[in-house]
Amino acid sequence: MSIVVTGATGALGRLVIEELLKRTAPGDLVAVARDRAKAADLAARGVEIKSADYGRPETLQGVFAAGDRVLFISGNEAGQRLTQHRAVIDAAREAGVGLLAYTSVLGGPTATFSIAEEHIATEQALLASGVPYCLLRNGWYHENYTGALATTLKIGAVVGSAGEGRVATAARRDYAEAAAIVLTGSGHENTVYELSGDTAWTMAEYAAEVSRQTGRKIPYNDLPPERYVALMVEAGVPALGAQMVADADAGIARGELAATPGDLSRLLGRPTTPIAESIADALKQLPA
C-alpha cells in the first residue's frame, strides 16, 4: 500500500509531495506524472515515479494498487476533464484503492460558475463509483492574485470583474498541507471538506493591501465582463480561459467563493495563511 499523488509535478502536487515527505518515508510515496523527466528530482529523493496521462486511459493501468491512498489532482484541460477524470476513477476502482481524495471546487454542486461544472460532474462520477472518497473542495488560491503582481504593478492597478464580492482565499501551501494530512491520517473516508481561507476579502481590499506594502497607489478597476475578457485576450490569455476567469469573477460577485466554514484551518490545526503574508512573499520574488 502506497500514498499516490497524481499530477505530482504541478504547482500543487509538488507542495503535497513536500508535505508528505515530512510525514512519511519517501519509499511509501508514488508520484504520478506525464513526463518522468520532470520528476527526476523526486526519484533522486527515493520517491517512486510512475508515468501516466489522464488523456490516455491505457497509461493509468498499473498506476494504482489495492489499498492505496490516492490524491487525485484535477486536470487542467478545460472541456476534456470529465472524460479524463472518469478514466482515473475507473482505474482507481479497478485497482481497489483505499481512498481517492479529489481536489474539487468550493461549494461543489452549489457553485454556478463554469469552472465548477466539470468538478461537479467528477464528484458525481466518484460518488457513483463506490470508491472510498474524500472531496477536497478547494477555494481560490492566494496565488491566483499574487502570481499576477508583476503585471499589477506594471499597469498600476488591480483589474477584475468581481465587483464588491468577497473571496476567501488561502495559500496553495495550505491546501497542500491539508491534502497531506488527509492522506496520512484516518477517518477521512467518504467525507467532504469545504476548504477556504479564514478571511474573505474584496478586490478593493486586496488592492489597498498591495498599495500599503508597495507604497504606491494601486486602485481596483472593476470592469464589465466583456471588457475584462477582451483585456485578458489582448494580453495573450486564450479566449476560453479568459471567459472562464471572468465568469468566476461573476461567481465571486454573487458570493460563491466567500464561504469561511473553517474546515481548512481545522485540518491544519492553525489559522490559514493571511493574504498579506502571501503578498509580501510574492513581492520579495519580483526583480528589484
Side-chain angles (χ1 to χ4, degrees), residues 141-262:
Y141 301 161
H142 289 339
E143 290 82 357
N144 290 9
Y145 302 96
T146 61
L149 269 175
T151 299
T152 295
L153 297 178
K154 180 179 179 180
I155 66 176
V158 174
V159 179
S161 189
E164 298 180 359
R166 292 186 173 276
V167 57
T169 59
R172 183 179 281 113
R173 190 173 297 278
D174 290 343
Y175 295 108
E177 184 178 342
I181 288 168
V182 165
L183 291 170
T184 56
S186 60
H188 300 291
E189 290 80 9
N190 303 327
T191 57
V192 178
Y193 294 111
E194 299 285 353
L195 304 177
S196 62
D198 295 335
T199 302
W201 44 264
T202 66
M203 295 301 294
E205 290 170 345
Y206 173 76
E209 181 59 27
V210 173
S211 299
R212 186 188 71 79
Q213 293 199 31
T214 61
R216 296 175 53 183
K217 186 174 178 57
I218 306 292
Y220 170 52
N221 292 344
D222 190 60
L223 303 177
E226 299 79 8
R227 177 58 187 143
Y228 186 33
V229 169
L231 194 66
M232 285 187 282
V233 171
E234 289 170 13
V237 178
L240 177 59
Q243 291 164 2
M244 294 180 82
V245 169
D247 187 57
D249 264 21
I252 291 172
R254 293 190 296 269
E256 294 186 22
L257 287 165
T260 55

Side-chain angles (χ1 to χ4, degrees), residues 14-213:
R14 282 194 166 274
L15 289 175
V16 173
I17 293 287
E18 291 301 326
E19 291 295 333
L20 287 169
L21 285 168
K22 298 175 184 178
R23 294 168 169 81
T24 191
D28 294 333
L29 304 180
V30 175
V32 181
R34 280 187 291 191
D35 185 349
R36 294 182 65 92
K38 291 183 178 180
D41 60 312
L42 298 178
R45 297 168 69 183
V47 177
E48 182 180 358
I49 310 301
K50 292 186 178 180
S51 180
D53 186 332
Y54 293 173
R56 296 168 56 210
E58 69 278 6
T59 66
L60 293 164
Q61 301 304 312
V63 167
F64 309 123
D68 281 353
R69 301 176 65 81
V70 181
L71 177 64
F72 171 20
I73 295 178
S74 59
N76 58 11
E77 297 178 71
Q80 301 180 48
R81 283 183 288 194
L82 180 55
T83 298
Q84 294 176 351
H85 290 178
R86 282 175 172 160
V88 176
I89 293 168
D90 287 346
R93 184 188 66 244
E94 291 168 9
V97 304
L99 178 71
L100 188 61
Y102 171 67
T103 59
S104 189
V105 66
L106 187 65
T110 68
T112 64
F113 46 92
S114 57
I115 290 174
E117 292 174 0
E118 288 174 304
H119 287 297
I120 294 168
T122 298
E123 286 192 8
Q124 293 170 343
L126 179 51
L127 293 175
S129 73
V131 175
Y133 66 87
C134 179
L135 299 180
L136 301 173
R137 290 179 174 164
N138 289 354
W140 262 210
Y141 301 161
H142 289 339
E143 290 82 357
N144 290 9
Y145 302 96
T146 61
L149 269 175
T151 299
T152 295
L153 297 178
K154 180 179 179 180
I155 66 176
V158 174
V159 179
S161 189
E164 298 180 359
R166 292 186 173 276
V167 57
T169 59
R172 183 179 281 113
R173 190 173 297 278
D174 290 343
Y175 295 108
E177 184 178 342
I181 288 168
V182 165
L183 291 170
T184 56
S186 60
H188 300 291
E189 290 80 9
N190 303 327
T191 57
V192 178
Y193 294 111
E194 299 285 353
L195 304 177
S196 62
D198 295 335
T199 302
W201 44 264
T202 66
M203 295 301 294
E205 290 170 345
Y206 173 76
E209 181 59 27
V210 173
S211 299
R212 186 188 71 79
Q213 293 199 31

